[in-house]
């Protein structure tokens, strides 16, 4: 991968079966992404369950359809599985992500 992978950006990721290819949100810090082969991402899905560990995304974030960032579905993947950047999330969504991660990991 030759392009920089920035935290809070959305990319398309090419997973193996059964997950298949799908959009992901980069959670790991940009500084770490620059020097590491692997990055931490959360899957984006169109299955919306309306639970506190999901953050809604759609056209405003560069996606063709509405979906959610599923904070209960976090993966470490090689950067080589990413294709071009699709979009990014707003500071409001970042706050929602922090709140969802606090729930997932039982953080204060």
């Amino acid at each position: 991968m030759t392009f920089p992978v920035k935290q809070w950006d959305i990319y398309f990721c090419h997973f193996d079966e059964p997950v298949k290819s799908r959009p992901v949100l980069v959670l790991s810090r940009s500084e770490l992404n620059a020097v590491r082969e692997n990055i931490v991402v959360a899957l984006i899905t169109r299955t919306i369950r309306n639970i506190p560990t999901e953050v809604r995304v759609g056209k405003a974030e560069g996606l063709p359809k509405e979906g959610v960032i599923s904070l209960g579905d976090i993966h470490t993947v090689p950067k080589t599985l990413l294709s071009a950047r699709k979009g990014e999330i707003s500071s409001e969504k970042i706050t929602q992500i922090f709140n969802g991660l606090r729930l997932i990991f039982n953080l204060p």
Side-chain angles (χ1 to χ4, degrees), residues 4-64:
V5 178
K6 292 179 15 187
Q7 184 180 37
W8 312 126
D9 279 356
I10 295 172
Y11 291 86
F12 202 74
C13 188
H14 304 283
F15 289 97
D16 290 331
E17 298 289 336
V19 177
K20 302 182 184 175
S21 296
R22 66 176 59 238
V24 296
L25 175 73
V26 176
L27 296 174
S28 51
R29 291 180 24 218
S30 300
E31 298 82 7
L32 293 176
N33 299 340
V35 297
R36 296 195 40 148
E37 285 185 39
N38 296 322
I39 60 169
V40 179
V41 300
L43 295 186
I44 297 175
T45 180
R46 287 185 285 177
T47 303
I48 301 171
R49 296 171 293 171
N50 294 310
I51 58 176
T53 56
E54 294 178 341
V55 177
R56 286 189 181 258
V57 289
K59 292 187 183 208
E61 291 78 27
L63 299 170

